[in-house]
Amino acid sequence: MASESVPITAVAELAGVSVATVSRVINNSKPVNAETREKVEAAVAQLGYRANAIGRILRKSETRMLLVLVPDFANPYYAEIVQGVESVTRDRGYHLLLADAPQRWERGATALDALHNRLADGVICLAHIDPESELHKEIAPLPWVACSEVMPGSKVPHVSIDHHQAAVDAVQYLLNRGHQRIALITAEEEFLWAQQRRQGYLDAMARAGIAVDPRWIQTARKADYADGHMAAGALLSLAALPTAVFAVSDTLAIGAIKAFRRAGRQVPQDIAVVGFDNLPLSEVFEPALTTVAQPMRELGAQATRLLLARLAGETPASLTLAHSLVVRESA
Amino acid sequence: MASESVPITAVAELAGVSVATVSRVINNSKPVNAETREKVEAAVAQLGYRANAIGRILRKSETRMLLVLVPDFANPYYAEIVQGVESVTRDRGYHLLLADAPQRWERGATALDALHNRLADGVICLAHIDPESELHKEIAPLPWVACSEVMPGSKVPHVSIDHHQAAVDAVQYLLNRGHQRIALITAEEEFLWAQQRRQGYLDAMARAGIAVDPRWIQTARKADYADGHMAAGALLSLAALPTAVFAVSDTLAIGAIKAFRRAGRQVPQDIAVVGFDNLPLSEVFEPALTTVAQPMRELGAQATRLLLARLAGETPASLTLAHSLVVRESA
DNA sequence: GTGAAAGCGCTAACAG
DNA sequence: CTGTTAGCGCTTTCAC
């Protein structure tokens, strides 16, 4: 009833028992006489008692909160991962603490405070962490797992897809359809995945015995539409236009397609385009995008299970989840 | 250095002072002798001491955490609002507790536990709350504010746009371009905004002296592409095709445009379409969508300020933020 | 099966 | 300016 905080002592008093007994009843931690239990339960109900989480946490020094470090909330890719995280935290009775992982990490007032201050039991990091950075030094000794972004050489448990193989699959698909002059539109490689996807492209081409013309490879600054547009422009200026493009993100792919069309080229007839990510948008865009899909929710869920296992004292192995090529109209 | 938790007593001991003095230094709460301060700071640095948030919270019974109830993380609309929330919580030194607000609220194990258990100081609710529901009974006595979803008749502080006026503006734009037979594609009206946008359409039409043919109004079950597609199909079967459509969401608008085009109609030449939301997608889609934009980030930020003010004992007034019509190609 | 009491880490009131 | 002490709300020995 009351919105006011009612402490366990009030319940004990009303029920005519000790606080220890109340605690036993609400936690089912030890056998309690049925009659006593009823008295306690009645008192709990009457007062609308809810155990204060803070008192409990202080005592047990376990917060049952997990911190999620997200590079960008508004990016649906991360949003879906968070959804996956949430699905398992909810089941396990954990709460989710969300923090923005800013590009430039300021010493001191960081999102990691929550963890340092023992507000959270562990961290799930979706952000890229430079091994040389302040952030890495801060986070290294903490119980954390990486999701989607894998740190090379780091021994931290992580879950992600095999970006290299996914790129190989995408390019192989193009190869199988008879393409030879396959271009790559990639992004600057601060993010490891960009690097890995690039290598996948290179390896698939090499395995097919195709010499890659360096001008087929366009590196965009970021990965938005405008960048894709520009990269496609560069491709368009080539004497022999590639017959297919693998873009390392759907946004890049869409920007490129727009450029091709503006130049009077048909997709996929004149030039086929494969993207990466399977954004909701890629289904609606015309032509609908052929693209590589990642299991985002699963990525988040597994990362969470990994962290929970780690917190439980286990030493779980990192996980690589399956990707899939979604074939639509653009290639 | 040590990742192990070091208590304030350890710092006091090392510095040769009392815990009270340590507390004063780290909180700057009372003047401390410069020399003493230095000793304490040295000890803090040496031990890598970080004040345990839980102890502090228990003592001050203020968690500096805010709970955000989100209907759907993966929906970019909510994601951007959360971004706005985060921007102010970060500035004010609050943490963000994120919870999914499920459609069907199960009694007991709810996301509101966090609040009942005093884990959070207040709630920002982005979800629709039926005044008759369990959830409403639960949340009513708590410190909360509504964001984007406004409860009719409820006295809870809220921030949102004027959906009615926004719809009037959209329809008026169409009217100004000479359209008369303007159709409405709306969604089932569990959400108040759908109802308000519908009324805006009706009022704008009435004010223009145009009798609305009931068949112009198509009500979709949900608000996804397929629904827009279906609604457009119904419109297409009319003897006199409307010359314009106002769709209460961009997804509906895009679904409709696809249907029109499939039927050989040009947008906007044969039929103009205005959407609502200004999703990222609406800019990329072809034709680029003319649509109503909401200031999502601002919505989140203001809601947070409202809550914070409320927690500070003030009684802030609800806010209505400005929307804007973004004119592109579809109308 | 139950109660008394200690103590998690911290801040603030009170003395000095 | 600094130290002593109480106590926030809870769980968990340890007795009985």
Side-chain angles (χ1 to χ4, degrees):
Chain A
M1 302 292 91
S3 157
E4 281 312 296
S5 196
V6 9
I8 196 171
T9 48
V11 179
E13 195 169 342
L14 179 58
V17 300
S18 73
V19 293
T21 300
V22 177
S23 175
R24 285 174 192 124
V25 170
I26 61 179
N27 295 307
N28 256 319
S29 49
K30 288 217 167 175
V32 170
N33 185 333
E35 216 172 308
T36 317
R37 170 180 297 274
E38 266 174 44
K39 279 192 303 188
V40 172
E41 280 166 351
V44 165
Q46 184 180 336
L47 297 173
Y49 171 73
R50 307 282 214 120
N52 178 313
I54 298 298
R56 177 176 295 167
I57 288 170
L58 181 58
R59 179 61 224 246
K60 319 222 300 185
S61 60
E62 186 209 32
T63 64
R64 296 190 82 79
M65 291 196 256
L66 263 26
L67 177 65
V68 185
L69 251 33
V70 188
D72 179 9
F73 297 144
N75 183 327
Y77 175 74
Y78 296 117
E80 278 205 49
I81 293 182
V82 172
Q83 218 167 23
V85 170
E86 204 271 347
S87 70
V88 358
T89 52
R90 183 177 7 156
D91 281 357
R92 308 280 217 94
Y94 274 74
H95 287 287
L96 219 56
L97 221 39
L98 205 67
D100 191 33
Q103 303 301 60
R104 309 163 2 72
W105 211 268
E106 290 169 28
R107 203 201 171 80
T110 83
L112 288 180
D113 283 352
L115 197 65
H116 281 124
N117 295 339
R118 316 277 145 181
L119 246 189
D121 296 337
V123 187
I124 298 164
C125 185
L126 311 189
H128 171 72
I129 295 189
D130 181 345
E132 303 303 317
S133 67
E134 269 309 308
L135 175 54
H136 185 247
K137 288 187 187 55
E138 283 211 70
I139 202 176
L142 304 172
W144 72 293
V145 299
C147 182
S148 153
E149 269 292 311
V150 183
M151 263 192 25
S154 160
K155 276 286 143 260
V156 69
H158 60 258
V159 12
S160 73
I161 65 160
D162 184 338
H163 294 281
H164 178 274
Q165 185 60 47
V168 168
D169 291 350
V171 174
Q172 190 60 52
Y173 169 79
L174 257 11
L175 256 6
N176 292 347
R177 313 262 308 195
H179 293 284
Q180 301 249 19
R181 294 204 306 285
I182 302 175
L184 172 74
I185 299 182
T186 183
E188 280 193 358
E189 311 192 345
E190 147 184 327
F191 285 87
L192 193 63
W193 53 255
Q195 197 178 313
Q196 292 166 334
R197 292 175 196 174
R198 179 177 189 276
Q199 194 58 48
Y201 161 83
L202 258 15
D203 291 349
M205 293 296 271
R207 194 173 319 154
I210 300 176
V212 171
D213 182 331
R215 292 170 303 176
W216 293 350
I217 301 184
Q218 295 296 328
T219 304
R221 191 84 79 82
K222 295 186 305 175
D224 58 28
Y225 306 120
D227 293 315
H229 205 280
M230 274 176 46
L235 257 18
L236 248 1
S237 72
L238 261 33
L241 185 67
T243 63
V245 175
F246 170 48
V248 300
S249 87
D250 286 349
T251 45
L252 250 15
I254 286 173
I257 291 176
K258 291 198 160 210
F260 291 142
R261 280 209 304 229
R262 198 150 304 169
R265 313 295 177 134
Q266 304 261 320
V267 175
Q269 294 83 347
D270 297 332
I271 184 159
V273 177
V274 174
F276 205 112
D277 281 347
N278 194 26
L279 299 185
L281 192 154
S282 61
E283 187 187 350
V284 176
F285 187 74
E286 296 176 8
L289 239 50
T290 292
T291 187
V292 178
Q294 301 190 49
M296 273 90 89
R297 295 190 52 123
E298 197 57 19
L299 245 17
Q302 293 292 14
T304 310
R305 295 199 187 97
L306 221 57
L307 178 57
L308 257 17
R310 209 183 152 179
L311 290 176
E314 303 163 32
T315 53
S318 292
L319 246 44
T320 300
L321 303 187
H323 57 269
S324 63
L325 184 69
V326 180
V327 176
R328 296 204 186 93
E329 302 163 359
S330 70
Chain B
M1 297 300 87
S3 157
E4 282 312 298
S5 197
V6 11
I8 197 170
T9 48
V11 179
E13 196 168 341
L14 179 59
V17 300
S18 74
V19 294
T21 298
V22 177
S23 174
R24 286 174 194 123
V25 169
I26 61 179
N27 295 307
N28 256 317
S29 51
K30 288 218 168 174
V32 170
N33 185 333
E35 217 171 309
T36 317
R37 171 179 298 271
E38 265 173 45
K39 280 193 301 190
V40 172
E41 279 166 352
V44 165
Q46 185 181 336
L47 297 173
Y49 171 74
R50 307 282 215 121
N52 178 312
I54 298 299
R56 180 176 292 166
I57 289 170
L58 180 58
R59 180 59 225 248
K60 317 224 299 186
S61 58
E62 185 210 31
T63 64
R64 294 191 82 79
M65 290 195 256
L66 263 25
L67 177 66
V68 185
L69 251 32
V70 187
D72 178 9
F73 296 144
N75 183 326
Y77 175 75
Y78 296 116
E80 278 206 48
I81 293 181
V82 171
Q83 218 168 23
V85 170
E86 204 271 346
S87 69
V88 358
T89 52
R90 183 177 6 152
D91 282 356
R92 310 280 218 93
Y94 274 74
H95 286 287
L96 219 56
L97 221 41
L98 206 67
D100 191 33
Q103 303 300 60
R104 305 162 6 71
W105 211 269
E106 289 168 30
R107 203 202 172 80
T110 82
L112 288 180
D113 283 351
L115 198 64
H116 282 123
N117 296 341
R118 314 279 145 181
L119 247 190
D121 297 335
V123 186
I124 298 165
C125 185
L126 312 190
H128 171 73
I129 297 189
D130 182 343
E132 304 303 316
S133 67
E134 269 309 308
L135 175 53
H136 185 247
K137 288 187 186 56
E138 282 211 72
I139 202 177
L142 304 172
W144 72 293
V145 299
C147 182
S148 154
E149 269 291 314
V150 183
M151 262 193 25
S154 160
K155 276 286 145 256
V156 69
H158 60 257
V159 11
S160 74
I161 64 162
D162 184 339
H163 294 281
H164 177 274
Q165 184 61 46
V168 168
D169 292 351
V171 174
Q172 189 60 51
Y173 169 79
L174 258 11
L175 256 6
N176 291 347
R177 314 262 308 195
H179 293 285
Q180 301 248 19
R181 294 204 308 283
I182 303 175
L184 173 74
I185 299 182
T186 183
E188 281 192 358
E189 312 194 344
E190 148 187 327
F191 285 87
L192 192 65
W193 53 256
Q195 196 177 315
Q196 292 166 334
R197 292 176 195 173
R198 179 177 190 277
Q199 194 58 49
Y201 161 82
L202 258 13
D203 291 350
M205 292 297 270
R207 195 173 317 152
I210 300 175
V212 171
D213 182 331
R215 291 168 305 174
W216 292 350
I217 301 183
Q218 295 295 328
T219 303
R221 190 83 79 85
K222 295 186 304 173
D224 59 27
Y225 306 119
D227 293 315
H229 205 279
M230 274 178 45
L235 257 18
L236 245 5
S237 72
L238 260 33
L241 185 66
T243 63
V245 176
F246 170 48
V248 300
S249 87
D250 286 349
T251 44
L252 250 16
I254 286 173
I257 291 176
K258 292 198 161 210
F260 291 141
R261 280 209 305 229
R262 197 150 305 169
R265 313 296 176 135
Q266 304 262 315
V267 176
Q269 294 83 347
D270 297 334
I271 184 160
V273 177
V274 173
F276 206 113
D277 282 346
N278 194 26
L279 300 184
L281 192 154
S282 61
E283 186 187 350
V284 176
F285 188 73
E286 294 175 11
L289 239 49
T290 291
T291 186
V292 177
Q294 301 190 50
M296 272 90 89
R297 295 190 51 123
E298 197 56 20
L299 246 17
Q302 292 291 13
T304 311
R305 296 200 186 96
L306 220 60
L307 178 57
L308 257 16
R310 208 182 155 180
L311 290 175
E314 302 162 31
T315 54
S318 292
L319 245 44
T320 301
L321 303 186
H323 57 267
S324 63
L325 185 70
V326 180
V327 176
R328 297 202 186 94
E329 302 164 359
S330 70

